């Protein structure tokens, strides 16, 4: 068989604002691959099926001089994110043709994965035993779902009757956090940036759901959150009473919302920080970011702010996650939404939509059929 096109999405230039398709990223068709004869060197040949498009990708579109927790993309090389692929050929002793692989995928149609990638955990064989589409394994049953599950289990210290405030509650991480909080018996306040997402948050159990573009976050928290209880200066509250009203705050956004949450937090609140697309991280690159004004509140209210990287909790919760979450998603006990765009050439467009908050659900690019 003659070599065939092996499409790639390349990192072409460091953006100064939003990543522009065709400038920041380009779809390249100059590369070819001989899928029948390409050397495997003990590895496997994978056909990429689906790719996850996530907010953090913007943070990797930077120069090497700018340090962060993740490596920058390399100019002239493919982008990368979590994906699922199918094994077309195998020289690996334990991985069979037809097996499905999950993990970090370069944005390329066909890739040769080395044995070291499986040994390191960058890639793993996964099995769908509950009938979910493979796209879900890069969403609610993949890294975004793991982000929600691992950190909620590890850091929320949730107790029945407490109040949780979840930002970007209509997204893949936030929506699962809402449902985990409800399963733990919490009252949930949730925000998102569109009326469609507000309706979705209500449908999955949020007690209070609002569009932060139309409604003041501070006013909602003052009315619905623990600040109403704590704000009565003449009320004597014991330590045990304070514990009952402690709140958890899950932040995917940052900026003004984080400031409002600090003011609206109770004594001893736990802030779980998994990203700041409107505050200090992706938006720092896109629009310059927003300073946090109310950090002194952390001292006065004894607030715990916990940042985390999902991969650092994989060893502790990975097996539990796969044994629990996919079957709950398949049964409908946990709900999810997806926005699937077909074609590897659309990656740049989808990245921009995610950065601008225009996606209506978990963004996935479908590269090929199984």
């Amino acid at each position: 068989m003659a070599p065939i096109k092996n499409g790639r999405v390349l990192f072409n230039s460091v953006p100064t604002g939003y990543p522009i398709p065709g400038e920041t990223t380009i779809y390249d068709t100059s590369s070819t691959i001989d899928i029948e004869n390409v050397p495997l060197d003990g590895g496997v040949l994978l056909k990429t099926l689906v790719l996850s498009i996530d907010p953090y990708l913007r943070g990797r579109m930077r120069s090497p001089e700018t340090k962060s927790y993740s490596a920058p993309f390399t100019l002239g090389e493919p982008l990368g994110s979590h994906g699922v692929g199918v094994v077309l050929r195998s020289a690996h002793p334990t991985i069979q043709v037809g097996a499905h692989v999950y993990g970090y995928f370069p944005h390329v149609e066909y890739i040769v994965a080395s044995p070291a990638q499986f040994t390191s955990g960058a890639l793993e064989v996964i099995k769908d035993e509950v009938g979910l589409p493979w796209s879900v394994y890069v969403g609610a049953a993949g890294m975004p779902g793991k982000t929600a599950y691992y950190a909620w289990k590890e850091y929320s210290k949730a107790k029945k009757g407490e109040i949780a405030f979840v930002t970007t509650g209509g997204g893949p991480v936030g929506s699962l956090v809402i449902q985990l909080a409800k399963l733990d018996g919490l009252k949930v306040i949730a925000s998102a940036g569109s009326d469609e997402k507000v309706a979705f948050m209500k449908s999955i159990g949020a007690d209070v759901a609002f569009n932060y573009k139309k409604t003041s976050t501070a006013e909602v928290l003052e009315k619905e959150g623990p600040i109403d209880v704590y704000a009565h200066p003449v009320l004597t509250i014991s330590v045990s009473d304070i514990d009952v009203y402690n709140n958890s705050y899950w932040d995917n956004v940052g900026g003004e919302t984080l400031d409002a949450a600090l003011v609206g937090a109770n004594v001893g609140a736990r802030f779980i920080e998994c990203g700041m697309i409107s505050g200090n991280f992706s938006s720092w690159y896109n629009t310059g970011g927003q300073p946090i004004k109310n950090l002194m509140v952390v001292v006065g209210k004894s607030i715990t702010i916990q940042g985390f990287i999902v991969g650092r909790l994989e060893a502790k919760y990975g097996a539990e996650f796969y044994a629990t979450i996919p079957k709950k998603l398949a049964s409908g006990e946990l709900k999810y939404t997806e926005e699937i765009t077909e074609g590897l050439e659309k990656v740049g467009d989808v990245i921009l939509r995610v950065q601008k908050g225009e996606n209506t659900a978990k963004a996935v690019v479908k590269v090929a059929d199984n």
Side-chain angles (χ1 to χ4, degrees), residues 148-322:
Y149 187 82
Y150 295 2
W152 186 259
K153 296 280 287 187
E154 182 76 4
Y155 303 123
S156 73
K157 300 178 175 62
K159 303 179 186 67
K160 185 176 181 179
E162 293 184 332
I163 301 172
F165 173 37
V166 183
T167 63
T168 63
V173 178
S175 60
L176 185 54
V177 174
I178 290 171
Q179 295 174 85
L180 294 174
K182 292 306 298 179
L183 289 174
D184 281 346
L186 279 70
K187 173 184 174 179
V188 175
I189 304 168
S191 68
S194 73
D195 293 341
E196 181 180 0
K197 292 178 181 178
V198 168
F200 174 60
M201 294 188 299
K202 290 179 179 178
S203 75
I204 60 175
D207 299 281
V208 179
F210 67 98
N211 184 338
Y212 69 85
K213 295 179 181 178
K214 297 181 177 181
T215 305
S216 166
T217 299
E219 290 178 3
V220 172
L221 295 183
E222 184 175 1
K223 178 182 177 181
E224 302 288 350
I227 196 170
D228 287 327
V229 175
Y230 186 73
H232 291 286
V234 297
L235 183 63
T236 301
I237 305 177
S238 69
V239 172
S240 60
D241 288 329
I242 291 173
D243 286 343
V244 170
Y245 289 101
N246 278 345
N247 81 314
S248 293
Y249 170 65
W250 184 289
D251 186 29
N252 298 307
V253 177
E256 293 179 2
T257 301
L258 176 55
D259 270 321
L262 287 167
V263 172
N266 208 343
V267 171
R270 290 87 69 196
F271 279 44
I272 305 174
E273 298 288 343
C274 84
M276 295 185 178
I277 196 170
S278 293
N280 294 343
F281 193 65
S282 290
S283 187
W284 185 85
Y285 296 104
N286 290 332
T287 61
Q290 299 175 10
I292 306 303
K293 301 175 182 178
N294 295 319
L295 275 179
M296 188 59 191
V297 173
V298 174
V299 177
K301 295 184 178 183
S302 300
I303 294 171
T304 298
I305 299 180
Q306 178 67 56
F308 71 97
I309 301 297
V310 61
R312 295 170 187 165
L313 295 171
E314 179 70 31
K316 185 172 184 178
Y317 293 110
E320 178 181 317
F321 174 85
Y322 280 121

